[in-house]
Amino acid sequence: MLTTPAPLPSAQRRTRVTDYDAVIAGAAFAGLRVLYELRDRLGLSVKAFEAGSDVGGTWYWNRYPGARTDTESWAYCMFFDKEFYEQWEWSERYPPQPEVLAHLKRVAERHDLYKNIEFNTRVEAATWDEANGIWTITTDHGVEVTARYFIAATGLLSIPLEPPFPGLSSFKGECYLTARWPHHAVTFEGKRVAVIGTGASGVQIAPVIAHTAERLFLFQRTANYVLPARNVPLDEEWRKELMHKRDEIYAMSCKQLWGFPMEDSTTRFADCETDEERRFVLDRAWEAGGFRFLFQGFVDMWVDEEAARFTQEFVHDKIRKLVKDPETAELLCPRDHRLGAKRPPLGHHYYEMFNRENVTLVDIKANAIEAITPGGLRLAGGEEYELDMIVLATGFDGMVGPLISMDVRGCEGETLRDRLTAAADTYLGIAIDGFPNMFTMTGPKCPGGNIPTTVDIIADLVGKAITHMSGHGYDVIEAQPEALQQYVAQCRRMVEPAVLWKDGVNVRSWLIGANVPGRQPAPLFWFGGMELYTGLIRQVIDHGFEGFAFRSPAKVYGRLDGPPLEARGNVVG
Ligand code: NA7
């Protein structure tokens, strides 16, 4: 494992120039997968930089109690290593954070990926040199390296939004961001705890806190549709059955709308003649647990007004049955948006939690948090809450944030920051015109849902594109602007008729970037389903990388016609 010296004051910084074929920013699912692709399958020299002290990304930082996947374990994994897939033993239907982290570490160990990763090191900048066809990548330690390819594997949800509450630093108690949960143990016993936010993070952590805290105040601005996860341990028989179905599970994931190995429903709302039949369809999906409710209910629920309304009332009825206090139940019923406008969290006895004596739901929709005070929190209406701890589960600058957190400069000095804040657009989620030889592993408009499936497909395409370049003697690959625009238009066309777009803007859905102050909402994902996307990728590859342009700059530095510079010990002081 390589280590980085402590940063020097800028005046004393020594610049160490090394050359790699590819530099990767990030070492989680995407970074590890693409590192394997480029180093082991293509034989390139690759360097990865990772801000954390170990692999994992989201699963490294979001180590809050209760954190676990919302995807079933048998699909939330590294598919590329079949032998490993068949050996790894998941304990539950939805594995907890430490298990996902262990899975990623084991993959990195098995393939000796650690030796190519420099930890505690953040990529700060990347600058394209058109004349020489190279990227210069600068880290927060002041180290500069050059590479032909720059791969941003910086994740979707790695940049938390700055909590907007005045007075936060004055708070005298403990304060934690779920997205930056500390490594030391945190106890809730006997404490008065506030959780702010009812997205997936708040919904996961709250029931765990409720278990031991003296009091839990859950501050809710927008009521969410919390679907029952129906988590269970995997018994030996089930596990064995799944372990041998890797190919089948992967193939199913590559077909399903959101990349999950499940059958999509073909039942239309109008197919059912009576409300009883409709309730039967939804009940079956509700009991199946997790995202099955989204995909195994009505196929037209996302676009049919009546289906969406019926589904909304169905969930309201469930909430009223689960939550004993009628006033709390009504507050928990989402009324300002239909299911599908926000990413629904999965609940692990979430609604049942409100039946505990020590839990209070605080509605802040019309009575916002005005300030954090030294002793707690104050609402605009003047109500004060005395607190020992505040947990902030207030969301992320999804997709765009991780990319614009680096100062990336492409052709003619154009910055990725300007480009993506103006329009969160890429070609296939992978490439952007004006930023040659750069690939984004989960760029805006990549397929959403099960990210391990997405990054597997994208890593494969990146590998094939680079192989294609070597075979044809090309030095530079770049998305064609027309192809990007066509792809973006297709993404928009698919979203505009959907509940996500119609209701999502008003309720600040992060899936369309509507939660980031000052940002113009836009679809952040390809919502056309995995089958269409994989078909598109096949077409791109079969047609000689349709939508990409290839060229050779006047002079190319570090051609791949000898051992990589690093192997030759070419370190320039
Ligand atoms: P989310 O889903 O973006 O949820 C953030 C929550 O924080 C949401 O309930 C927000 O309310 C709330 N929030 C944000 N700002 C405020 C302010 N100023 N006042 C009150 N409440 C606020 O983030 P998560 O981390 O839970 O989940 C993100 C993804 O991680 C998830 O979808 C999975 O893919 C994994 P709002 O709804 O905007 O009213």
Side-chain angles (χ1 to χ4, degrees), residues 72-89:
E72 288 153 334
S73 49
W74 49 93
Y76 203 80
C77 54
M78 283 292 201
F79 280 112
F80 77 91
D81 182 345
K82 190 171 174 181
E83 191 183 273
F84 176 56
Y85 186 96
E86 290 174 351
Q87 285 170 7
W88 186 261
E89 299 194 346

PDB file of all heavy atoms in Angstrom, residues 72-89:
ATOM      1  N   GLU A  72     -31.107  -5.760  -2.458  1.00  0.00           N
ATOM      2  CA  GLU A  72     -30.903  -7.089  -1.877  1.00  0.00           C
ATOM      3  C   GLU A  72     -29.451  -7.520  -2.080  1.00  0.00           C
ATOM      4  O   GLU A  72     -28.851  -7.284  -3.135  1.00  0.00           O
ATOM      5  CB  GLU A  72     -31.885  -8.075  -2.513  1.00  0.00           C
ATOM      6  CG  GLU A  72     -33.287  -7.788  -2.004  1.00  0.00           C
ATOM      7  CD  GLU A  72     -34.416  -8.185  -2.919  1.00  0.00           C
ATOM      8  OE1 GLU A  72     -34.204  -8.235  -4.144  1.00  0.00           O
ATOM      9  OE2 GLU A  72     -35.521  -8.445  -2.427  1.00  0.00           O
ATOM     10  N   SER A  73     -28.903  -8.158  -1.041  1.00  0.00           N
ATOM     11  CA  SER A  73     -27.461  -8.437  -1.007  1.00  0.00           C
ATOM     12  C   SER A  73     -26.956  -9.162  -2.246  1.00  0.00           C
ATOM     13  O   SER A  73     -25.871  -8.865  -2.740  1.00  0.00           O
ATOM     14  CB  SER A  73     -27.127  -9.264   0.235  1.00  0.00           C
ATOM     15  OG  SER A  73     -28.000 -10.362   0.358  1.00  0.00           O
ATOM     16  N   TRP A  74     -27.745 -10.071  -2.767  1.00  0.00           N
ATOM     17  CA  TRP A  74     -27.265 -10.880  -3.886  1.00  0.00           C
ATOM     18  C   TRP A  74     -27.103 -10.063  -5.167  1.00  0.00           C
ATOM     19  O   TRP A  74     -26.545 -10.560  -6.140  1.00  0.00           O
ATOM     20  CB  TRP A  74     -28.166 -12.101  -4.121  1.00  0.00           C
ATOM     21  CG  TRP A  74     -29.640 -11.812  -4.189  1.00  0.00           C
ATOM     22  CD1 TRP A  74     -30.364 -11.555  -5.309  1.00  0.00           C
ATOM     23  CD2 TRP A  74     -30.573 -11.793  -3.104  1.00  0.00           C
ATOM     24  NE1 TRP A  74     -31.688 -11.361  -4.997  1.00  0.00           N
ATOM     25  CE2 TRP A  74     -31.852 -11.507  -3.646  1.00  0.00           C
ATOM     26  CE3 TRP A  74     -30.464 -11.988  -1.719  1.00  0.00           C
ATOM     27  CZ2 TRP A  74     -33.004 -11.402  -2.862  1.00  0.00           C
ATOM     28  CZ3 TRP A  74     -31.619 -11.879  -0.946  1.00  0.00           C
ATOM     29  CH2 TRP A  74     -32.864 -11.601  -1.504  1.00  0.00           C
ATOM     30  N   ALA A  75     -27.572  -8.811  -5.132  1.00  0.00           N
ATOM     31  CA  ALA A  75     -27.349  -7.957  -6.308  1.00  0.00           C
ATOM     32  C   ALA A  75     -26.468  -6.762  -5.970  1.00  0.00           C
ATOM     33  O   ALA A  75     -26.069  -6.007  -6.849  1.00  0.00           O
ATOM     34  CB  ALA A  75     -28.673  -7.465  -6.862  1.00  0.00           C
ATOM     35  N   TYR A  76     -26.178  -6.572  -4.677  1.00  0.00           N
ATOM     36  CA  TYR A  76     -25.365  -5.413  -4.284  1.00  0.00           C
ATOM     37  C   TYR A  76     -23.955  -5.909  -4.032  1.00  0.00           C
ATOM     38  O   TYR A  76     -23.508  -6.066  -2.887  1.00  0.00           O
ATOM     39  CB  TYR A  76     -25.937  -4.728  -3.046  1.00  0.00           C
ATOM     40  CG  TYR A  76     -25.487  -3.289  -2.943  1.00  0.00           C
ATOM     41  CD1 TYR A  76     -26.110  -2.311  -3.700  1.00  0.00           C
ATOM     42  CD2 TYR A  76     -24.411  -2.925  -2.157  1.00  0.00           C
ATOM     43  CE1 TYR A  76     -25.680  -0.993  -3.655  1.00  0.00           C
ATOM     44  CE2 TYR A  76     -23.973  -1.610  -2.103  1.00  0.00           C
ATOM     45  CZ  TYR A  76     -24.615  -0.653  -2.852  1.00  0.00           C
ATOM     46  OH  TYR A  76     -24.183   0.649  -2.814  1.00  0.00           O
ATOM     47  N   CYS A  77     -23.252  -6.194  -5.086  1.00  0.00           N
ATOM     48  CA  CYS A  77     -21.976  -6.886  -4.929  1.00  0.00           C
ATOM     49  C   CYS A  77     -21.120  -6.699  -6.173  1.00  0.00           C
ATOM     50  O   CYS A  77     -21.568  -6.148  -7.164  1.00  0.00           O
ATOM     51  CB  CYS A  77     -22.249  -8.365  -4.729  1.00  0.00           C
ATOM     52  SG  CYS A  77     -23.274  -9.010  -6.044  1.00  0.00           S
ATOM     53  N   MET A  78     -19.910  -7.164  -6.064  1.00  0.00           N
ATOM     54  CA  MET A  78     -19.000  -7.137  -7.206  1.00  0.00           C
ATOM     55  C   MET A  78     -19.273  -8.366  -8.070  1.00  0.00           C
ATOM     56  O   MET A  78     -18.882  -9.477  -7.735  1.00  0.00           O
ATOM     57  CB  MET A  78     -17.557  -7.156  -6.702  1.00  0.00           C
ATOM     58  CG  MET A  78     -17.111  -5.822  -6.182  1.00  0.00           C
ATOM     59  SD  MET A  78     -16.995  -4.609  -7.532  1.00  0.00           S
ATOM     60  CE  MET A  78     -15.898  -3.427  -6.765  1.00  0.00           C
ATOM     61  N   PHE A  79     -19.936  -8.118  -9.170  1.00  0.00           N
ATOM     62  CA  PHE A  79     -20.336  -9.228 -10.035  1.00  0.00           C
ATOM     63  C   PHE A  79     -19.169  -9.812 -10.842  1.00  0.00           C
ATOM     64  O   PHE A  79     -19.214 -10.939 -11.276  1.00  0.00           O
ATOM     65  CB  PHE A  79     -21.386  -8.745 -11.034  1.00  0.00           C
ATOM     66  CG  PHE A  79     -22.775  -8.656 -10.469  1.00  0.00           C
ATOM     67  CD1 PHE A  79     -23.401  -7.432 -10.297  1.00  0.00           C
ATOM     68  CD2 PHE A  79     -23.483  -9.805 -10.139  1.00  0.00           C
ATOM     69  CE1 PHE A  79     -24.692  -7.342  -9.804  1.00  0.00           C
ATOM     70  CE2 PHE A  79     -24.777  -9.730  -9.639  1.00  0.00           C
ATOM     71  CZ  PHE A  79     -25.377  -8.497  -9.470  1.00  0.00           C
ATOM     72  N   PHE A  80     -18.128  -8.979 -11.072  1.00  0.00           N
ATOM     73  CA  PHE A  80     -17.129  -9.369 -12.076  1.00  0.00           C
ATOM     74  C   PHE A  80     -16.335 -10.607 -11.683  1.00  0.00           C
ATOM     75  O   PHE A  80     -15.832 -11.336 -12.532  1.00  0.00           O
ATOM     76  CB  PHE A  80     -16.186  -8.197 -12.388  1.00  0.00           C
ATOM     77  CG  PHE A  80     -15.147  -7.949 -11.326  1.00  0.00           C
ATOM     78  CD1 PHE A  80     -13.908  -8.575 -11.398  1.00  0.00           C
ATOM     79  CD2 PHE A  80     -15.391  -7.079 -10.270  1.00  0.00           C
ATOM     80  CE1 PHE A  80     -12.947  -8.339 -10.426  1.00  0.00           C
ATOM     81  CE2 PHE A  80     -14.442  -6.848  -9.303  1.00  0.00           C
ATOM     82  CZ  PHE A  80     -13.215  -7.480  -9.373  1.00  0.00           C
ATOM     83  N   ASP A  81     -16.224 -10.878 -10.370  1.00  0.00           N
ATOM     84  CA  ASP A  81     -15.425 -12.001  -9.897  1.00  0.00           C
ATOM     85  C   ASP A  81     -16.385 -13.123  -9.485  1.00  0.00           C
ATOM     86  O   ASP A  81     -16.872 -13.176  -8.357  1.00  0.00           O
ATOM     87  CB  ASP A  81     -14.596 -11.513  -8.695  1.00  0.00           C
ATOM     88  CG  ASP A  81     -13.686 -12.575  -8.144  1.00  0.00           C
ATOM     89  OD1 ASP A  81     -13.868 -13.754  -8.481  1.00  0.00           O
ATOM     90  OD2 ASP A  81     -12.794 -12.214  -7.342  1.00  0.00           O
ATOM     91  N   LYS A  82     -16.642 -14.006 -10.430  1.00  0.00           N
ATOM     92  CA  LYS A  82     -17.661 -15.042 -10.202  1.00  0.00           C
ATOM     93  C   LYS A  82     -17.284 -15.974  -9.043  1.00  0.00           C
ATOM     94  O   LYS A  82     -18.123 -16.344  -8.219  1.00  0.00           O
ATOM     95  CB  LYS A  82     -17.858 -15.842 -11.487  1.00  0.00           C
ATOM     96  CG  LYS A  82     -19.036 -16.769 -11.428  1.00  0.00           C
ATOM     97  CD  LYS A  82     -19.351 -17.384 -12.754  1.00  0.00           C
ATOM     98  CE  LYS A  82     -20.464 -18.415 -12.559  1.00  0.00           C
ATOM     99  NZ  LYS A  82     -20.829 -19.073 -13.769  1.00  0.00           N
ATOM    100  N   GLU A  83     -16.013 -16.307  -8.986  1.00  0.00           N
ATOM    101  CA  GLU A  83     -15.570 -17.221  -7.930  1.00  0.00           C
ATOM    102  C   GLU A  83     -15.840 -16.596  -6.544  1.00  0.00           C
ATOM    103  O   GLU A  83     -16.343 -17.242  -5.636  1.00  0.00           O
ATOM    104  CB  GLU A  83     -14.086 -17.501  -8.113  1.00  0.00           C
ATOM    105  CG  GLU A  83     -13.571 -18.619  -7.248  1.00  0.00           C
ATOM    106  CD  GLU A  83     -12.077 -18.793  -7.441  1.00  0.00           C
ATOM    107  OE1 GLU A  83     -11.702 -19.530  -8.359  1.00  0.00           O
ATOM    108  OE2 GLU A  83     -11.295 -18.163  -6.695  1.00  0.00           O
ATOM    109  N   PHE A  84     -15.508 -15.297  -6.463  1.00  0.00           N
ATOM    110  CA  PHE A  84     -15.728 -14.579  -5.210  1.00  0.00           C
ATOM    111  C   PHE A  84     -17.224 -14.503  -4.895  1.00  0.00           C
ATOM    112  O   PHE A  84     -17.650 -14.689  -3.756  1.00  0.00           O
ATOM    113  CB  PHE A  84     -15.109 -13.182  -5.315  1.00  0.00           C
ATOM    114  CG  PHE A  84     -15.344 -12.309  -4.112  1.00  0.00           C
ATOM    115  CD1 PHE A  84     -14.972 -12.726  -2.850  1.00  0.00           C
ATOM    116  CD2 PHE A  84     -15.937 -11.060  -4.253  1.00  0.00           C
ATOM    117  CE1 PHE A  84     -15.193 -11.923  -1.738  1.00  0.00           C
ATOM    118  CE2 PHE A  84     -16.155 -10.244  -3.148  1.00  0.00           C
ATOM    119  CZ  PHE A  84     -15.777 -10.686  -1.890  1.00  0.00           C
ATOM    120  N   TYR A  85     -18.011 -14.226  -5.931  1.00  0.00           N
ATOM    121  CA  TYR A  85     -19.468 -14.157  -5.761  1.00  0.00           C
ATOM    122  C   TYR A  85     -19.974 -15.453  -5.126  1.00  0.00           C
ATOM    123  O   TYR A  85     -20.823 -15.450  -4.242  1.00  0.00           O
ATOM    124  CB  TYR A  85     -20.156 -13.929  -7.109  1.00  0.00           C
ATOM    125  CG  TYR A  85     -21.642 -13.698  -7.008  1.00  0.00           C
ATOM    126  CD1 TYR A  85     -22.160 -12.413  -6.984  1.00  0.00           C
ATOM    127  CD2 TYR A  85     -22.537 -14.769  -6.902  1.00  0.00           C
ATOM    128  CE1 TYR A  85     -23.526 -12.193  -6.867  1.00  0.00           C
ATOM    129  CE2 TYR A  85     -23.892 -14.557  -6.777  1.00  0.00           C
ATOM    130  CZ  TYR A  85     -24.386 -13.264  -6.764  1.00  0.00           C
ATOM    131  OH  TYR A  85     -25.741 -13.048  -6.636  1.00  0.00           O
ATOM    132  N   GLU A  86     -19.427 -16.561  -5.575  1.00  0.00           N
ATOM    133  CA  GLU A  86     -19.897 -17.863  -5.093  1.00  0.00           C
ATOM    134  C   GLU A  86     -19.361 -18.211  -3.707  1.00  0.00           C
ATOM    135  O   GLU A  86     -19.858 -19.112  -3.045  1.00  0.00           O
ATOM    136  CB  GLU A  86     -19.532 -18.949  -6.112  1.00  0.00           C
ATOM    137  CG  GLU A  86     -20.371 -18.789  -7.379  1.00  0.00           C
ATOM    138  CD  GLU A  86     -19.977 -19.723  -8.506  1.00  0.00           C
ATOM    139  OE1 GLU A  86     -18.927 -20.391  -8.380  1.00  0.00           O
ATOM    140  OE2 GLU A  86     -20.713 -19.752  -9.501  1.00  0.00           O
ATOM    141  N   GLN A  87     -18.334 -17.471  -3.281  1.00  0.00           N
ATOM    142  CA  GLN A  87     -17.761 -17.743  -1.953  1.00  0.00           C
ATOM    143  C   GLN A  87     -18.335 -16.839  -0.861  1.00  0.00           C
ATOM    144  O   GLN A  87     -18.422 -17.218   0.293  1.00  0.00           O
ATOM    145  CB  GLN A  87     -16.243 -17.510  -1.985  1.00  0.00           C
ATOM    146  CG  GLN A  87     -15.481 -18.595  -2.682  1.00  0.00           C
ATOM    147  CD  GLN A  87     -14.031 -18.184  -2.883  1.00  0.00           C
ATOM    148  OE1 GLN A  87     -13.575 -17.147  -2.393  1.00  0.00           O
ATOM    149  NE2 GLN A  87     -13.305 -18.985  -3.626  1.00  0.00           N
ATOM    150  N   TRP A  88     -18.661 -15.609  -1.269  1.00  0.00           N
ATOM    151  CA  TRP A  88     -19.049 -14.623  -0.265  1.00  0.00           C
ATOM    152  C   TRP A  88     -20.377 -14.973   0.389  1.00  0.00           C
ATOM    153  O   TRP A  88     -21.339 -15.292  -0.303  1.00  0.00           O
ATOM    154  CB  TRP A  88     -19.129 -13.226  -0.902  1.00  0.00           C
ATOM    155  CG  TRP A  88     -19.383 -12.166   0.124  1.00  0.00           C
ATOM    156  CD1 TRP A  88     -20.587 -11.601   0.425  1.00  0.00           C
ATOM    157  CD2 TRP A  88     -18.430 -11.578   1.016  1.00  0.00           C
ATOM    158  NE1 TRP A  88     -20.434 -10.677   1.437  1.00  0.00           N
ATOM    159  CE2 TRP A  88     -19.119 -10.646   1.819  1.00  0.00           C
ATOM    160  CE3 TRP A  88     -17.060 -11.736   1.199  1.00  0.00           C
ATOM    161  CZ2 TRP A  88     -18.487  -9.893   2.794  1.00  0.00           C
ATOM    162  CZ3 TRP A  88     -16.435 -10.977   2.172  1.00  0.00           C
ATOM    163  CH2 TRP A  88     -17.141 -10.067   2.956  1.00  0.00           C
ATOM    164  N   GLU A  89     -20.455 -14.883   1.715  1.00  0.00           N
ATOM    165  CA  GLU A  89     -21.680 -15.261   2.418  1.00  0.00           C
ATOM    166  C   GLU A  89     -22.344 -14.049   3.041  1.00  0.00           C
ATOM    167  O   GLU A  89     -21.903 -13.561   4.074  1.00  0.00           O
ATOM    168  CB  GLU A  89     -21.357 -16.307   3.499  1.00  0.00           C
ATOM    169  CG  GLU A  89     -20.778 -17.575   2.907  1.00  0.00           C
ATOM    170  CD  GLU A  89     -20.755 -18.733   3.881  1.00  0.00           C
ATOM    171  OE1 GLU A  89     -20.934 -18.501   5.096  1.00  0.00           O
ATOM    172  OE2 GLU A  89     -20.553 -19.861   3.410  1.00  0.00           O
TER     173      GLU A  89
END
